[in-house]
Amino acid sequence: MSETRSPTEPARLANGPGPVPDPFAAWSFNDPYSDRLVAFMSEGWGSLPSPGIAVAPPPDILRRRRDALRAELGCDVPALVTSGRAPVRNDDVVYPVRASSDYVYLTGDQSAGGVLCLDPISGQGDVLYLDVPEGRTGTEFYSDAARGELWVGPQPSLEAREQALGVVCRPAAELAGRLAELGGSILSGPPETSLDTLPAGSAAEARRLTGLVSELRLIKDEWELGELRHAIEVTIDGFGDVRTLLRGRSSVNEREVEIAFAARARREGTGPGYHVIAAGGHHATTLHWSRNDATIGAEDLLLLDAGVELNSLYTGDLTRTWPVGGRFSGAQRQVYEHVLAAEQAALSCLRAGALFREHYDVCARVLAGGLADLGVLPVAPEESLSADSGLHRRWTLCAPGHMLGLDVHDCSQAREDRYIGGRLRAGMVLTVEPGLYFQLGDELVPPALRGMGVRVEDDVLITEDGYEVLSRRLPRQIDELEAWCAS
């Protein structure tokens, strides 16, 4: 026996089967280590509590989802849906793993490196290929910084996952052999997934598969609706935490706002579902403001756009704009009222069977009228709304809504005629979020409006006979907002 040893295999990132470069190498046991240390590390370990399984739907719901996808695919080759791996943030630092939403939707699993092999004939043939937890029986549990138990904690066994999720779970190392037997595949998955050992189908096949899963996700089942309701309620609580932070303050830093909301999101779930937009003053005119590093005065508006992502990975997405000091000025009130009128008009046309774009058009019509009322629009609203004009869009900028679910911009790969160009159906959950944004240097608007951005956003469920505002507990009328600030 030699005097020194190295780990038995290269450490792996969470990317499915096959070794890849290890960004943690500098912190692993890369130097040769003695037989005495190997022997010593294998001794004296007692039993540990079984690690928990991530929150997931019941197996019968997961099975129905896979069966629905199988029926839509209608092909004789297996489909692969992958969870992805942790992307590198910088140097040897990686972001936390967040499994792809399609994978989570079909499997309920949140493991990095997982691969679902969807059998084309029957759900009895579906198999989930996962990394086998190393445990403490070899050297990997302390030498593998990407997967070793002493580095990342104990992981559920394949047997525990199989029981919880209702799908056969096999070691990832078996996938290549199984695919060779089957003779072909369609591949779907995030672009950072390593494809070294996964045979990829054509790009068109991959797009078709991804699109079909997006379209299945358009209609939320009862389990999903329960998660979304919870995510939205906790998001509202996070807005309340920010309100408490602001009370009595003459100024506040945007970072404090972000921290207050993120603390709630982290306590109640995985964290924010997307980077918190805590935009004060003229920063509110930057749609995806993310620096959150400036001081906001009491006379300034705060535009807070944020959502809590639960441990199930479903997220809320709400926006409110209100004055840090708790009272709207005359100009602020006027702009806010036009935005709120646009939201209310858009809500009133939501119903099963209505065109999705209808509420887009309604928002545009009300906002164009509001801009004319503010003395900003250089043409009549009717002219601006014509296809060869659209001048009002200088101050509205973005689409006033999108689907919501496992992703904040959910179902984005669905076909045009099933989503943006299609009709609303009961069970869809979407945001309605009109806004007006007057840039600080925009000399075409009155000075009193420059640097003002206002958005109001709510989360809405389409029902058989209309709609339900899931975020209705969060005030949006001006008088209610001011009373909420002071409560």
Side-chain angles (χ1 to χ4, degrees):
M1 181 179 291
S2 64
E3 290 296 317
T4 60
R5 292 185 180 180
S6 297
T8 57
E9 63 176 350
R12 297 186 291 177
L13 278 176
N15 71 318
V20 297
D22 179 11
F24 299 101
W27 302 100
S28 302
F29 271 76
N30 274 353
D31 293 335
Y33 46 91
S34 69
D35 288 344
R36 288 182 63 190
L37 177 56
V38 171
F40 189 63
M41 290 295 290
S42 67
E43 298 174 353
W45 302 108
S47 60
L48 294 173
S50 298
I53 303 288
V55 177
D60 61 322
I61 291 178
L62 295 168
R63 193 175 304 114
R64 285 200 299 270
R65 295 174 182 177
R66 294 193 297 272
D67 287 343
L69 176 59
R70 200 182 336 270
E72 289 290 329
L73 282 170
C75 59
D76 58 1
V77 294
L80 302 182
V81 182
T82 61
S83 69
R85 61 172 173 170
V88 175
R89 180 184 185 276
N90 61 291
D91 192 32
D92 60 353
V93 179
V94 297
Y95 287 102
V97 172
R98 203 287 193 179
S100 77
S101 295
D102 286 350
Y103 174 86
V104 172
Y105 178 78
L106 294 168
T107 69
D109 180 56
Q110 297 184 26
S111 302
V115 179
L116 169 66
C117 185
L118 189 80
D119 186 89
I121 307 301
S122 166
Q124 299 300 316
D126 293 343
V127 179
L128 193 54
Y129 291 93
L130 301 166
D131 284 335
V132 178
E134 300 290 350
R136 296 186 174 185
T137 58
T139 62
E140 289 78 10
F141 82 93
Y142 57 88
S143 66
D144 185 340
R147 294 187 305 153
E149 187 175 296
L150 291 189
W151 292 86
V152 300
Q155 302 299 311
S157 66
L158 298 193
E159 293 77 14
R161 293 187 192 276
E162 183 171 316
Q163 182 176 4
L165 304 175
V167 62
V168 174
C169 295
R170 300 297 303 163
E174 297 181 6
L175 176 59
R178 179 58 177 155
L179 291 177
E181 295 174 6
L182 293 170
S185 69
I186 296 173
L187 178 69
S188 172
E192 68 270 16
T193 299
S194 171
L195 307 181
D196 293 343
T197 59
L198 302 183
S202 71
E205 289 172 332
R207 284 195 301 271
R208 176 171 176 259
L209 176 55
T210 302
L212 288 175
V213 180
S214 268
E215 289 164 18
L216 290 174
R217 287 167 52 193
L218 282 167
I219 306 297
K220 272 53 182 181
D221 56 42
E222 285 304 313
W223 190 88
E224 290 181 285
L225 291 177
E227 291 300 299
L228 281 168
R229 289 180 187 277
H230 185 194
I232 292 162
E233 286 300 315
V234 177
T235 297
I236 293 170
D237 292 340
F239 275 69
D241 294 339
V242 172
R243 175 221 25 210
T244 301
L245 168 73
L246 298 182
R247 188 180 295 124
R249 297 282 293 271
S250 60
S251 66
V252 67
N253 192 278
E254 292 169 340
R255 285 183 178 173
E256 295 180 79
V257 174
E258 176 185 342
I259 290 166
F261 183 87
R264 169 74 65 171
R266 190 66 178 139
R267 285 197 304 270
E268 304 279 356
T270 69
Y274 52 96
H275 195 87
V276 174
I277 299 171
H282 69 89
H283 291 159
T285 65
T286 301
L287 293 177
H288 288 170
W289 176 255
S290 61
R291 281 167 48 188
N292 299 341
D293 59 359
T295 298
I296 320 169
E299 72 285 355
D300 290 326
L301 292 176
L302 166 67
L303 187 156
L304 177 62
D305 185 334
V308 173
E309 182 183 79
L310 299 181
N311 293 327
S312 63
L313 304 187
Y314 285 83
T315 186
D317 178 14
L318 299 176
T319 305
R320 287 294 184 271
T321 309
W322 75 93
V324 170
R327 301 287 293 182
F328 286 87
S329 70
Q332 292 168 348
R333 176 181 287 264
Q334 193 175 12
V335 173
Y336 188 98
E337 285 175 342
H338 286 304
V339 173
L340 187 62
E343 189 201 31
Q344 189 56 54
L347 289 171
S348 68
C349 68
L350 297 180
R351 64 194 181 282
L355 289 171
F356 180 89
R357 285 187 184 276
E358 183 178 346
H359 78 283
Y360 277 21
D361 297 337
V362 167
C363 278
R365 186 163 62 250
V366 175
L367 291 176
L371 288 165
D373 181 67
L374 291 167
V376 171
L377 198 62
V379 298
E382 295 75 17
E383 180 181 341
S384 185
L385 291 165
S386 65
D388 62 351
S389 178
L391 303 188
H392 61 281
R393 296 179 65 185
R394 176 183 177 110
W395 301 286
T396 61
L397 296 179
C398 68
H402 52 79
M403 294 296 176
L404 181 69
L406 278 166
D407 294 316
V408 65
H409 296 146
D410 210 36
C411 312
S412 62
Q413 302 305 306
R415 287 170 287 186
E416 169 80 10
D417 63 348
R418 304 296 177 90
Y419 182 178
I420 302 295
R423 293 186 180 275
L424 296 172
R425 290 178 285 164
M428 289 181 169
V429 177
L430 64 150
T431 70
V432 179
E433 51 176 309
L436 288 173
Y437 311 94
F438 303 108
Q439 301 297 316
L440 186 62
D442 190 346
E443 297 182 352
L444 298 186
V445 302
L449 300 182
R450 295 175 193 171
M452 188 186 305
V454 174
R455 178 162 66 253
V456 179
E457 178 182 21
D458 282 285
D459 301 337
V460 183
L461 167 66
I462 303 300
T463 63
E464 293 290 352
D465 56 357
Y467 66 92
E468 177 188 351
V469 179
L470 301 177
S471 51
R472 59 188 176 276
R473 183 165 66 88
L474 187 61
R476 49 190 167 128
Q477 301 291 337
I478 287 180
D479 292 344
E480 293 175 350
L481 258 180
E482 291 183 338
W484 177 75
C485 289
S487 65

